[in-house]
Amino acid sequence: MKCKVCKGHAVVDVRRHNAGFCKDHFVEHVRKQVAKSVKEFSMFSPDERLLLAVSGGKDSLALWDILLDLGYDATGFYLDLGIGGYSGRSKEASIAFAEQRGAKLIVRSLGEEHGYTVPELARLTGRVPCSGCGLNKRYEFNRAALEEGFDVLVTGHNLDDEVATLFGNVLHWNTDQLGRQAPVLEERVLGDSPEPVLVRKVKPLVRLAERETAAYALLRGIDYIVEECPMVEGNTQHRYKEAISLLEEASPGTKHQMYFGFLEKAAARFAGSGDGAQIVRCTSCGAPTLDLGQEEPRCSFCKTKALALTRKEQGSAKEC
Amino acid sequence: MKCKVCKGHAVVDVRRHNAGFCKDHFVEHVRKQVAKSVKEFSMFSPDERLLLAVSGGKDSLALWDILLDLGYDATGFYLDLGIGGYSGRSKEASIAFAEQRGAKLIVRSLGEEHGYTVPELARLTGRVPCSGCGLNKRYEFNRAALEEGFDVLVTGHNLDDEVATLFGNVLHWNTDQLGRQAPVLEERVLGDSPEPVLVRKVKPLVRLAERETAAYALLRGIDYIVEECPMVEGNTQHRYKEAISLLEEASPGTKHQMYFGFLEKAAARFAGSGDGAQIVRCTSCGAPTLDLGQEEPRCSFCKTKALALTRKEQGSAKEC
C-alpha cells in the first residue's frame, strides 16, 4: 500500500478513508483531523487556556502532543484514582510525557482531596467502580478547571468512545443524555454571576478512531500506558464497542456515519430533553445540581462522598 | 427449570422474562403476547378481514396458526418469487399448512404477474436481490390486499426483525424511516376517494423473539421451511442481528428495551420526517408515489419493472 499523499511506503491504512499514509503524512493527517474538529465545532481559540484531562493512555497523551504541536496553551491534569499499580504507572507516564515536552502538569489525588480511592469508593457505596469513578472524575475535572482559571476542559474521548456512548444511549433511549451528547458542551452560569459553574467541555478526537490514536502515539514515540484499567471488566461500554466493531469490520465507516449522522440529523430532536428540572447550587459544595424540590439540595458527588466517608468511619469504629 | 405457571417441567426458557414454560403454557404465553400487541396497538378487530403475507417460514406460519386460534378471519397470501427450489419448497409448506388448518390461501407468482423472478430482477437491474425483492413484495402485498378487499395486511416481522431494522435506521439515522417504524402503519387515502391506496399494515409478532416463534412452531408441530433464502448472503440485516444478539446474550431484554423504548420515547421525535413531498398517483399503475415534481410521476415499482423488462427484451434480441 502506498501513501495517499507522497506515494511512498504506507505504514498505516485507514480503511474508512480508503487511504494509506507514510509516517509523516499520517502524523499530519491526525493533526489535521484534530484541527478540523476544533474549527468545525468552535471548540476553542489560540488565546484560551486549555486544561486537558490526562490518564497516561494513548488518547490523552496523543491529544496533548497534537495540541502542543498546533500551538495551543494546553496544561495537563492528572487525577490519581488510587487504583493500585495501574494508577502509579499511569501517573508516571503522564509526568514523563510532561517533562519530555516541557509542558505544565497539575497532579491531584482523590485520596488526598476526599479521603478515598476508586476501589474503596466502590466497596463503600456498593456501586460499580466505573460509575463512582466517572462521577468523581467529572466533578474533579470541572473543579480543577474552575479553580485554576482555565477556559476549557479538554478530554481525549475518541470516535469509538463516542459511538459506544451513543449506542448505549440509543439502546436505552436515554433521551436526556442523547440531548447532551455533543463534541462541545458549553459552559453554564447560574443566576446573575458571570462566573461559570460548569466549564466548557470539548472532545477534539471525535474524528479519530482508537486504532488511529494508538498508531499516532506509536509513530510519535509516545510512551503511553498500554494496560487497561483493571476494574473495567464486564463494562457495558466494552460490549458496545465490540458489537459496533463487528459492523465496522464488514463496512468501514459505520462508526463515523453513526456518530456524525446523529449530530447532523438527530441530535437536535433530543435537545432540551433533560432540562425539565432547574439547576441550583449544592448546599454543601456550591457545585450545580438539579433542583428536585429538596429543601437543602445536595449534588450527587457530595451525597456519594458523604455515604462513603460515613461508612468508612463506621468500619473503622467497628475495627477498634 | 420449572414452568412459571403450573410448576411442571419447563421445555422453553425465556431469559428476558426470566421464566420457563411447559409446552401448553408456552403456547398460551405466545398467544397472549400476540393478543396483547393486537390490543395495545389497536391493530384490528374480529370483524375485519386480514390478509397475512405467508413465506412458509416459522414466523408467518406460527402467526397464522395463532390468529386462527384467536378466532380471526385470516387468509394467507403466498407470493412465488421464483427463487429456485427454495421458492418451490416454501410454497409447498404454505399450501400444506393451509390445507391442514382448512384456511384460505391466495397464491400469486411474480413471474406470471410481471414477467420476472427475483434472481432475474437482480441480474437485469444490477440491484442487490433483497432490495428488488422487498420492493416487489411490498407492492404485491398491498395490491393483493386492495384488489381482494381486505381491511388489513398482516406480516410476520418479529422482535428481532424490528430491532435489526431499527438498528440499521439508527446507524444511518434514516430519519424518514424512523418516522415510519411502528407496529401499525395506518391506511392512506388520496384526494377525495374514500378507497385506500395503501392498506393498513400491522406486525403482531413484535413482542416475540425469533427463538420464541421457532419454539412455538416446533411445539405446535408446524411443518415450516427451515432453510433461509439462498440470496440473503451478506445481507446487512443479518449483521445487525448478530451484533445485537451479542448484547442480548450478555444482558437479556436488550432487544425489547431498544424497540419498545424507541416507540415510547423517541419515535414521535421523527414523525413526519419523510412527509416533505406530497403523495400522488403513479401514471402507469395508479399506486401512490412521492411527488418529486415530474410531469408524469411513476412509482419505483413501475420504473424498476420497466427497466427489467426493457433489458430482458434487449437480451432476447441479442440472443436471436
Side-chain angles (χ1 to χ4, degrees), chain A residues 222-240:
Chain A
I222 296 172
D223 201 8
Y224 66 90
I225 176 167
V226 177
E227 67 186 298
E228 276 195 294
C229 173
M231 311 204 73
V232 91
E233 187 80 22
N235 180 305
T236 49
Q237 193 90 345
H238 269 229
R239 280 206 299 277
Y240 300 157

Side-chain angles (χ1 to χ4, degrees), chain A residues 123-127 305-317:
Chain A
R123 190 172 42 78
L124 292 164
T125 61
R127 288 176 70 168
K305 177 178 173 178
L307 176 69
L309 295 184
T310 307
R311 291 199 176 153
K312 195 172 179 179
E313 230 167 75
Q314 289 167 345
S316 315

Side-chain angles (χ1 to χ4, degrees), chain A residues 166-167 170-175 239-240 242-244 246-247 250-251 254 257-258 261-262 265-266 269-270 273, chain B residues 166-167 170-173 175 239-240 242-244 246-247 250-251 254 257-258 261-262 265-266 269-270 273:
Chain A
L166 176 58
F167 189 28
V170 154
L171 279 176
H172 302 90
W173 293 101
N174 296 327
T175 52
R239 280 206 299 277
Y240 300 157
E242 210 182 322
I244 297 276
L246 262 183
L247 304 174
S251 178
T254 299
Q257 191 173 43
M258 184 181 190
F262 169 74
K265 296 188 277 180
R269 297 170 197 263
F270 296 95
S273 284
Chain B
L166 176 58
F167 189 28
V170 154
L171 279 176
H172 302 90
W173 294 100
T175 52
R239 279 205 299 277
Y240 300 156
E242 210 182 321
I244 297 276
L246 262 183
L247 304 174
S251 179
T254 300
Q257 191 173 43
M258 185 183 189
F262 168 75
K265 296 188 276 182
R269 298 171 196 263
F270 296 95
S273 284

Side-chain angles (χ1 to χ4, degrees), chain A:
Chain A
M1 193 166 205
K2 289 185 175 172
C3 173
K4 182 191 170 183
V5 186
C6 70
K7 311 300 173 204
H9 176 65
V11 294
V12 184
D13 73 309
V14 185
R15 282 182 67 206
R16 73 204 151 86
H17 291 316
N18 200 17
F21 295 96
C22 69
K23 180 184 163 182
D24 288 352
H25 287 122
F26 180 70
V27 167
E28 184 185 83
H29 165 76
V30 169
R31 278 194 200 128
K32 277 188 182 168
Q33 294 294 314
V34 170
K36 188 173 175 179
S37 299
V38 171
K39 190 178 171 194
E40 185 177 355
F41 298 108
S42 308
M43 290 184 171
F44 42 75
S45 57
D47 58 340
E48 288 187 300
R49 291 186 66 218
L50 319 182
L51 185 66
L52 171 67
V54 168
S55 70
K58 63 188 188 319
D59 298 308
S60 54
L61 293 189
L63 180 54
W64 203 359
D65 190 64
I66 297 160
L67 292 174
L68 293 172
D69 283 346
L70 291 174
Y72 288 105
D73 176 6
T75 298
F77 175 58
Y78 179 81
L79 180 64
D80 189 335
L81 303 164
I83 306 175
Y86 169 75
S87 282
R89 289 185 290 276
S90 57
K91 182 160 74 178
E92 278 166 31
S94 304
I95 292 173
F97 181 86
E99 282 176 358
Q100 198 191 323
R101 292 286 319 227
K104 287 166 282 178
L105 175 70
I106 298 171
V107 176
R108 290 188 182 177
S109 134
L110 211 52
E112 284 172 25
E113 300 290 328
H114 301 294
Y116 49 72
T117 63
V118 162
E120 278 178 328
L121 185 68
R123 190 172 42 78
L124 292 164
T125 61
R127 288 176 70 168
V128 288
C130 296
S131 154
C133 182
L135 175 69
N136 275 269
K137 283 197 292 193
R138 281 191 299 276
Y139 186 88
E140 287 296 285
F141 291 170
N142 186 61
R143 184 169 77 97
L146 294 179
E147 284 178 2
E148 307 287 339
F150 287 93
D151 302 297
V152 192
L153 175 69
V154 184
T155 59
H157 293 95
N158 59 39
L159 179 61
D160 293 68
D161 297 325
E162 291 305 291
V163 170
T165 301
L166 176 58
F167 189 28
N169 285 335
V170 154
L171 279 176
H172 302 90
W173 293 101
N174 296 327
T175 52
D176 52 343
Q177 284 169 52
L178 285 167
R180 282 197 306 268
Q181 188 166 2
V184 175
L185 283 179
E186 288 302 340
E187 67 169 32
R188 287 193 71 157
V189 293
L190 253 190
D192 297 331
S193 166
E195 292 302 311
V197 289
L198 287 174
V199 70
R200 188 191 325 150
K201 286 184 205 158
V202 303
K203 298 169 182 171
L205 290 182
V206 287
R207 295 192 154 272
L208 292 159
E210 212 155 82
R211 192 176 155 271
E212 290 145 35
T213 58
Y216 176 90
L218 276 171
L219 291 174
R220 288 280 297 155
I222 296 172
D223 201 8
Y224 66 90
I225 176 167
V226 177
E227 67 186 298
E228 276 195 294
C229 173
M231 311 204 73
V232 91
E233 187 80 22
N235 180 305
T236 49
Q237 193 90 345
H238 269 229
R239 280 206 299 277
Y240 300 157
K241 283 189 179 178
E242 210 182 322
I244 297 276
S245 292
L246 262 183
L247 304 174
E248 179 76 20
E249 186 62 34
S251 178
T254 299
K255 292 173 189 171
H256 182 99
Q257 191 173 43
M258 184 181 190
Y259 183 66
F260 288 92
F262 169 74
L263 295 182
E264 191 190 323
K265 296 188 277 180
R269 297 170 197 263
F270 296 95
S273 284
D275 287 351
Q278 289 290 316
I279 301 276
V280 288
R281 278 185 192 278
C282 169
T283 46
S284 295
C285 73
T289 186
L290 287 182
D291 183 6
L292 302 171
Q294 321 95 308
E295 233 170 76
E296 297 194 342
R298 287 216 294 169
C299 69
S300 301
F301 172 80
C302 285
K303 279 191 257 183
T304 307
K305 177 178 173 178
L307 176 69
L309 295 184
T310 307
R311 291 199 176 153
K312 195 172 179 179
E313 230 167 75
Q314 289 167 345
S316 315
K318 268 186 207 161
E319 279 167 23
C320 294

